[in-house]
Amino acid sequence: MKPESENPREPQRFVFSSFAAAVILLGLAGCSKPLPEQGTQAALLYASRCGQCHRAYSPRSLTAAMWQIQMQVMETKMQEQGVPPLTGWERDTILNYLARNAAQE
Ligand code: HEC
């Protein structure tokens, strides 16, 4: 009796679809993760000013020192794209919010 014929493509397809599913799940988890201090003025301001061109990144993704630099880079981007500049108050509020919730060095 002949052994069951194997389709050599099958395992590969399984690995690929598991991988794709994991990527999709991770993506969804990333998006639905709430920002810290949800519902506060600072969190709302951050989400509205820093979530218009891309999703509002988690404050924990950078350290306070890195946020300081990133904010400057983004203010240049905003200027290039014709987005209204941050007021002094907005910049302070967002930077303090990010620093409070930033990754530890
Ligand atoms: C005018 C559109 C725009 C606004 C508003 C904006 N960003 Fe960005 N941001 C970008 C673009 C475009 C990139 C992609 C990276 C690049 O081109 O340098 C980016 C990338 C980033 C990154 C990822 C950098 C990396 O290396 O992966 C962070 C973090 C970030 N922005 C934070 C902010 C914060 C904080 C604010 C609010 C102050 C903000 N962004 C507002 C356009 C914007």
Side-chain angles (χ1 to χ4, degrees):
M1 202 178 166
K2 244 172 79 178
E4 292 254 310
S5 79
E6 274 179 51
N7 179 349
R9 296 178 69 96
E10 206 59 42
Q12 206 179 344
R13 199 186 314 152
F14 173 73
V15 168
F16 177 73
S17 57
S18 320
F19 177 71
V23 168
I24 291 165
L25 281 176
L26 276 176
L28 288 176
C31 285
S32 60
K33 203 165 172 198
L35 289 170
E37 305 179 25
Q38 259 226 316
T40 62
Q41 193 182 32
L44 290 171
L45 180 70
Y46 172 64
S48 68
R49 293 302 255 132
C50 303
Q52 45 188 309
C53 299
H54 45 68
R55 74 189 164 82
Y57 291 96
S58 166
R60 291 184 194 88
S61 58
L62 298 179
T63 63
M66 289 157 84
W67 277 120
Q68 196 137 19
I69 296 165
Q70 190 65 34
M71 282 284 285
Q72 287 168 16
V73 177
M74 287 301 125
E75 291 199 67
T76 312
K77 282 250 179 293
M78 290 163 90
Q79 205 176 354
E80 284 168 8
Q81 306 271 323
V83 171
L86 297 176
T87 64
W89 175 81
E90 285 178 326
R91 184 185 306 114
D92 289 351
T93 306
I94 292 173
L95 209 46
N96 283 333
Y97 166 77
L98 290 170
R100 276 201 300 280
N101 296 291
Q104 298 307 304
E105 323 249 342

